[in-house]
Amino acid sequence: MKLIPLPAFTDNYIWMLHDGHHALVVDPGAAQPVLEALTRFGVQLEAILVTHHHPDHTAGVEALRLATGATVYGPQQELMPEPLTRLAQGEQAHSLGLHFDVLEVPGHTAGHIAYYCANVDGAPLLFCGDTLFSAGCGRLFEGSPAQMLASLDKLAALPDATQICCAHEYTLSNLKFACAVESRNTALMDYAAAAQQLRATQQPTLPSNMLLERQVNPFLRSREPEVIHAVQGFDASARDAVSVFAALRRWKNEFR
Ligand code: ZN
Ligand code: FE
């Protein structure tokens, strides 16, 4: 199985998984990069997995469905290009002989879902859209901090080896903020150096993995004493887990 991030717009990735004959893509905000890749790899599109309703994740869906007849999967409650198979927590998307469990992860949008496959060539794989980014998380457009914290807790419970395929290359700017939060986290400093090298040669920093994210991602580390302490320097009233997480997210929003 080949896993390929197709760049789109300025910093989106449309993830493609293919077995040499058939392919699936995740969050095609544009059809053209996908159509070109299908031709380049000589594969047929079988399924389109959509995580949430934002146009940079959905605008290519209809053209791809019409061109290929691929099955479209998406969240239960969001406004989506029809027709599609809507999936709730615990239901599955099927493609390439794989089963993807749907995890409901509200916060960025109200109905955002992620797709998890326990075994792709021996390793678990997660397509998480705009919920979890490497060293960061999505903005809270439709959900509350409590919802996003619970969604990230759900993802953080996945196995260490889980390959994390998120929809944007935001890693370097996320790392700048993460380093401001935890200046003495050596795993974070090492990762920042490695990520800078990758981006200097236009290589993706993704997929990341869950073990690394638990070590470096401040939004998965909001209960760590050093993170709580740093957040209280931004908002002294932040005390419990949800208010610390909420203040961390607000701090990131205004961080330059
Ligand atoms: Zn989005
Ligand atoms: Fe997006």
Side-chain angles (χ1 to χ4, degrees), residues 180-256:
V181 176
E182 283 193 280
S183 57
R184 287 179 308 186
N185 178 336
T186 54
L188 174 59
M189 299 307 141
D190 291 349
Y191 180 46
Q196 264 158 21
Q197 287 218 324
L198 286 170
R199 295 308 295 152
T201 51
Q202 279 86 46
Q203 295 176 74
T205 58
L206 302 164
S208 179
N209 67 78
M210 199 58 81
L211 177 63
L212 175 65
E213 291 306 316
R214 281 198 230 94
Q215 291 172 340
V216 305
N217 191 322
F219 295 95
L220 300 187
R221 298 172 58 76
S222 62
R223 295 178 186 88
E224 295 289 325
E226 194 181 334
V227 175
I228 295 171
H229 182 76
V231 167
Q232 287 172 342
F234 171 79
D235 178 353
S237 73
R239 289 266 171 265
D240 61 294
V242 171
S243 64
V244 168
F245 180 83
L248 182 66
R249 185 59 257 187
R250 275 187 284 114
W251 184 11
K252 171 75 163 66
N253 291 349
E254 46 188 75
F255 184 80
R256 288 290 171 271

Side-chain angles (χ1 to χ4, degrees), residues 17-199:
L17 194 61
H18 78 78
D19 61 9
H21 304 281
H22 297 99
L24 68 79
V25 291
V26 184
D27 288 349
Q32 203 52 38
V34 175
L35 292 169
E36 283 169 15
L38 293 171
T39 304
R40 181 159 22 111
F41 302 125
V43 295
Q44 203 184 331
L45 191 64
E46 188 178 88
I48 300 170
L49 278 52
V50 182
T51 63
H52 67 293
H53 69 84
H54 288 157
D56 63 311
H57 301 248
T58 60
V61 169
E62 187 169 23
L64 288 173
R65 182 178 56 77
L66 292 173
T68 65
T71 304
V72 184
Y73 295 98
Q76 193 77 296
Q77 334 172 2
E78 306 217 331
L79 194 64
M80 285 281 158
E82 303 277 354
L84 81 164
T85 302
R86 293 184 178 271
L87 299 171
Q89 171 78 36
E91 297 187 314
Q92 290 185 327
H94 302 279
S95 180
L96 311 176
L98 303 171
H99 309 299
F100 290 87
D101 293 315
V102 167
L103 304 172
E104 287 179 347
V105 286
H108 178 67
T109 63
H112 199 301
I113 60 174
Y115 297 87
Y116 173 74
C117 183
N119 187 349
V120 178
D121 294 341
L125 181 67
L126 176 71
F127 295 119
C128 52
D130 287 356
T131 297
L132 175 66
F133 294 124
S134 186
C137 76
R139 284 176 186 264
L140 304 181
F141 288 121
E142 299 174 10
S144 66
Q147 279 180 318
M148 188 57 135
L149 180 58
S151 295
L152 293 176
D153 285 344
K154 196 187 264 192
L155 298 181
L158 295 173
D160 286 353
T162 305
Q163 297 171 266
I164 299 174
C165 303
C166 45
H168 290 273
E169 179 63 68
Y170 288 159
T171 309
L172 288 190
S173 67
N174 287 340
L175 282 167
K176 219 172 123 195
F177 176 69
C179 290
V181 176
E182 283 193 280
S183 57
R184 287 179 308 186
N185 178 336
T186 54
L188 174 59
M189 299 307 141
D190 291 349
Y191 180 46
Q196 264 158 21
Q197 287 218 324
L198 286 170
R199 295 308 295 152

